[in-house]
Amino acid sequence: MDSNFPNPAGPAVAPPPPDTASPANNLFPIFLKLENMRVLLVGGGNVGLEKLGAILRNSPATAVTVVAPHILPELRELAARHPKVQLLQRPYQDRDLDDKDLLFLATDDVALHRYICAAAAARQLLTNVADTPELCDFYLSSVLQKGDLKIAISTNGKSPTVGKRLREVLAEVLPAELASVLGQMTIIRSRLQGDFAKKVKSLNAVTAELAHGPAYETPATAYWRRVATASLMTFAAFIVLNILSYYFTWQQAWDVARSSGTFYTFVAVGFLAQMVDGMLGMGYGVVSAISLMSLGLSPVSVSASIHTAEVFASGASGYNHYRFGNVNKRLFRVLLLPGIVGSVSGALLLAHFGETYAGYIKPILAVYLLILGVRIIAKAFQKVAKKRKKVKNAGWLAGAGGFLDSFGGGGWGPLVTSTLITNGRTPRYVIGTVSLVEFFVTFASAFTFFTILGISHWQIVLGLIVGGVAAAPIAAKLAGRLPTRWMFVGVGLMVIVWSLWALRKLL
């Protein structure tokens, strides 16, 4: 809560000279212990309900007296849940100001507001008047709270809508672990040893999570995560090399690397496909399929190679998105299991029925995504941001995306990413989260295909893996740096390209 009521005692020291370059908002931000005060609210309509809700959300035990000739049933229900709220259904009287510390005016009578403001000023009461900034002694802020952290945003009474929008942005950006970190800070501070400079350095290291995300929880955790990751990668490489040694000699591998640039062409295709997919959350299958087919490879070898290589590329992409803080953990949990179930189901059905029935589904999906692509590009150039819609069936969306990706030969990124972004979700976190889930979805699909059909075309797979893994950290870093508008445009264009590619036989 902000207040511009003057301090009658005056400053304790001489004030600094005025800063001519200071911003126009000269409000002094404070946080009040409102539960120790007596509050009067005049007005029982929708605005009064909004004011009372703001008071009780932040300070539920505040003693509030509501005076109004007419009181909404919703306001009565809210008051019934708070014993210290008193309702007086009658017109305002001057004696209502007695023994009050704070005053809120929320009626539609401007003349009454001015009259009460004059009476309140005579008693030195701080007053907030709805929709009349010039009569206010203080403004209500747009408040974001995560545990013990509370952030108040003031627009100097100019635009509460802007304050609410900024609050939504901060709620999305600040990590979910923030509340637990603050809850542990008291314990951490009591255990720190050394001089002041050393304590500050230690606290900065601990709170690095707030700036960089969950990958920087503590220095010790970050160190052991790197050790575990390196050990896992070493172990995986050892297994892969041992398996390959049963089928291929070192001379054969060297001959492939030297053979007329073909292997390096596959590397370049994998790099380009992963750059597009990592930045936009989709496009790996489209870019790699178009590129490989243009080299004269058969559709069967292209499809098998892409599904196998995408496991490694999506794993590297998801890890780097998590590392750079592009993942929304709550959305990740919602998408994970349905996506895996849909992927395995699609792979089993495709292996049983073949590609005939998959050809019927893909055109329908392509038409749907073509419409979504146009909407996403239009959304990028909207001047007024629309309110974000809640995604009610994200689990079903993930299940459908996983099924179509396996059964239809692609569609996880275009369907899931574009639908979530169209509903107003932040592109950076949608792309990062969907990319991380894609690893598990692709792994489930590839494992199912491998169990049933086996693996082939290892030269193409190896080139795509090398290029995709190399591009993953670069793409994930860029996904967090690109302007939101151009991310919308990129996603929209990629969705349209994917749709036209899927519809190419019909067109």
Side-chain angles (χ1 to χ4, degrees):
M1 183 179 297
D2 301 327
S3 172
N4 63 355
F5 193 80
N7 179 9
V13 296
D19 183 4
T20 57
S22 64
N25 190 336
N26 295 319
L27 299 176
F28 184 76
I30 62 173
F31 288 90
L32 298 177
K33 294 182 178 180
L34 210 59
E35 295 174 344
N36 298 333
M37 298 182 176
R38 292 157 297 181
V39 177
L40 174 64
L41 170 60
V42 180
N46 290 319
V47 180
L49 175 62
E50 181 180 353
K51 297 289 185 182
L52 182 61
I55 294 171
L56 297 178
R57 275 196 305 272
N58 289 280
S59 303
T62 302
V64 184
T65 301
V66 182
V67 177
H70 305 285
I71 299 177
L72 289 177
E74 294 85 353
L75 195 149
R76 291 185 180 276
E77 293 176 4
L78 178 60
R81 298 194 297 268
H82 296 83
K84 289 192 175 184
V85 177
Q86 180 184 9
L87 302 181
L88 301 178
Q89 189 168 353
R90 58 169 175 77
Y92 161 81
Q93 299 174 5
D94 285 342
R95 59 185 174 89
D96 292 328
L97 298 177
D98 294 343
D99 301 324
K100 296 299 187 294
D101 301 305
L102 216 57
L103 173 62
F104 291 87
L105 302 181
T107 75
D108 55 0
D109 190 338
V110 178
L112 177 62
H113 284 176
R114 293 187 181 277
Y115 173 79
I116 299 176
C117 280
R123 300 173 186 240
Q124 294 187 338
L125 287 181
L126 294 174
T127 305
N128 175 268
V129 185
D131 299 325
T132 315
E134 64 271 15
L135 295 181
C136 292
D137 294 316
F138 65 93
Y139 303 134
L140 292 185
S141 306
S142 185
V143 178
L144 166 66
Q145 183 169 0
K146 292 199 174 186
D148 290 326
L149 176 69
K150 181 173 287 188
I151 300 174
I153 303 171
S154 169
T155 60
N156 204 12
K158 298 298 175 65
S159 178
T161 302
V162 172
K164 292 178 181 178
R165 186 62 176 166
L166 290 174
R167 180 192 63 193
E168 294 174 357
V169 173
L170 289 174
E172 186 79 27
V173 171
L174 293 177
E177 296 80 7
L178 189 59
S180 61
V181 171
L182 292 177
Q184 298 169 6
M185 286 305 297
T186 302
I187 300 175
I188 295 173
R189 288 179 59 187
S190 64
R191 295 178 178 177
L192 292 177
Q193 304 294 329
D195 57 15
F196 178 76
K198 184 177 180 180
K199 291 181 178 180
V200 170
K201 184 177 180 180
S202 299
L203 288 175
N204 284 339
V206 171
T207 56
E209 176 189 0
L210 308 185
H212 302 288
Y216 297 88
E217 293 164 318
T218 63
T221 303
Y223 171 77
W224 287 111
R225 182 182 291 107
R226 290 193 296 269
V227 171
T229 302
S231 301
L232 180 62
M233 293 179 66
T234 302
F235 180 68
F238 176 77
I239 292 178
V240 170
L241 289 174
N242 273 273
I243 293 175
L244 292 177
S245 66
Y246 285 101
Y247 301 97
F248 311 105
T249 65
W250 288 107
Q251 184 61 43
Q252 288 175 312
W254 176 249
D255 291 340
V256 170
R258 296 175 54 192
S259 61
S260 66
T262 303
F263 175 77
Y264 301 107
T265 303
F266 298 149
V267 172
V269 170
F271 185 90
L272 176 62
Q274 186 54 47
M275 282 294 293
V276 174
D277 188 85
M279 289 190 294
L280 303 180
M282 65 185 76
Y284 185 91
V286 178
V287 175
S288 53
I290 294 175
S291 302
L292 293 177
M293 287 185 180
S294 66
L295 296 175
L297 299 174
S298 66
V300 175
S301 62
V302 169
S303 178
S305 302
I306 291 174
H307 275 89
T308 305
E310 197 172 5
V311 175
F312 296 87
S314 61
S317 177
Y319 168 78
N320 283 283
H321 275 294
Y322 178 81
R323 175 188 171 196
F324 291 122
N326 299 339
V327 175
N328 183 313
K329 291 185 177 180
R330 184 166 56 182
L331 181 61
F332 172 81
R333 290 192 293 267
V334 172
L335 300 179
L336 180 60
L337 289 180
I340 293 175
V341 172
S343 177
V344 173
S345 302
L348 291 174
L349 287 176
L350 181 62
H352 183 70
F353 292 108
E355 299 183 3
T356 303
Y357 294 97
Y360 296 124
I361 294 178
K362 185 174 289 187
I364 300 175
L365 173 65
V367 173
Y368 167 75
L369 291 175
L370 184 62
I371 299 172
L372 275 186
V374 175
R375 288 186 59 192
I376 291 172
I377 293 179
K379 189 180 183 66
F381 296 98
Q382 287 177 350
K383 294 183 179 180
V384 179
K386 293 183 178 180
K387 184 177 180 181
R388 185 176 70 179
K389 301 177 183 177
K390 184 177 181 180
V391 182
K392 298 181 180 179
N393 299 308
W396 288 102
L397 175 66
F403 178 85
L404 291 170
D405 192 71
S406 295
F407 192 70
W412 166 261
L415 178 64
V416 180
T417 302
S418 57
T419 301
L420 292 175
I421 290 179
T422 304
N423 280 274
R425 312 295 294 190
T426 305
R428 170 186 174 185
Y429 296 102
V430 170
I431 292 170
T433 306
V434 172
S435 296
L436 181 58
V437 178
E438 184 181 13
F439 163 72
F440 299 95
V441 171
T442 306
F443 179 82
S445 175
F447 183 79
T448 305
F449 281 127
F450 176 77
T451 303
I452 299 173
L453 305 175
I455 188 173
S456 59
H457 311 290
W458 66 271
Q459 299 93 335
I460 306 174
V461 173
L462 183 60
L464 294 178
I465 291 174
V466 173
V469 172
I474 303 174
K477 187 69 173 179
L478 291 177
R481 297 292 182 87
L482 293 177
T484 301
R485 168 174 291 184
W486 294 112
M487 291 183 72
F488 271 106
V489 173
V491 171
L493 290 175
M494 182 50 60
V495 170
I496 292 174
V497 169
W498 190 94
S499 304
L500 295 177
W501 174 255
L503 291 170
R504 68 191 186 281
K505 292 183 179 179
L506 297 179
L507 298 176

